[in-house]
Amino acid sequence: MVQSRKAMTAGFFGAAALLYVYGVLVTAHIPADVAAVALPLDFMVGIPACFYLLVVRPRALTPLAVIPVIWLGFGLSLDDPQGFLRALSPEV
């Protein structure tokens, strides 16, 4: 039972990473009007909802565990994801 949960979690993270990469790569081929609505919705609602259903809920974790996944989706859905990453990194 524990093995299957670990495999499902690893599978989710692998699938989510592929979806994020695919979404970022195809942005140039999607009309701007569609990308402005579809990508943030997918990155900030769809993938975090799957994370909640497949990882958080079965382990009875706090729903707050979804927030970093939403932040990641927000950063990737911006026009300038590098600016988002710079804003997250501490200034030295």
Side-chain angles (χ1 to χ4, degrees), residues 38-60:
L39 289 179
L41 183 66
D42 186 31
F43 286 168
M44 294 175 62
V45 177
I47 294 173
C50 291
F51 178 75
Y52 174 77
L53 293 173
L54 295 175
V55 177
V56 173
R57 191 169 176 205
R59 289 183 172 77

Side-chain angles (χ1 to χ4, degrees), residues 4 6 23 44 61-62 87-88 90-91:
S4 65
K6 287 183 180 181
M44 294 175 62
L61 299 173
T62 177
L88 286 180
E91 292 184 32

Side-chain angles (χ1 to χ4, degrees), residues 2-21:
V2 174
Q3 293 270 342
S4 65
R5 282 189 177 181
K6 287 183 180 181
M8 186 168 33
T9 302
F12 170 79
F13 283 117
L18 287 175
L19 284 173
Y20 279 130
V21 169

Side-chain angles (χ1 to χ4, degrees), residues 1 8-9 11 17 25 29-31 33 44-46 49 52 55-56 58 62 68 71 73 82 85-87 92:
M1 185 75 150
M8 186 168 33
T9 302
L25 291 177
H29 305 289
I30 298 173
D33 296 340
M44 294 175 62
V45 177
Y52 174 77
V55 177
V56 173
T62 177
W71 286 342
Q82 293 300 324
L85 294 175
R86 279 192 305 272
V92 179

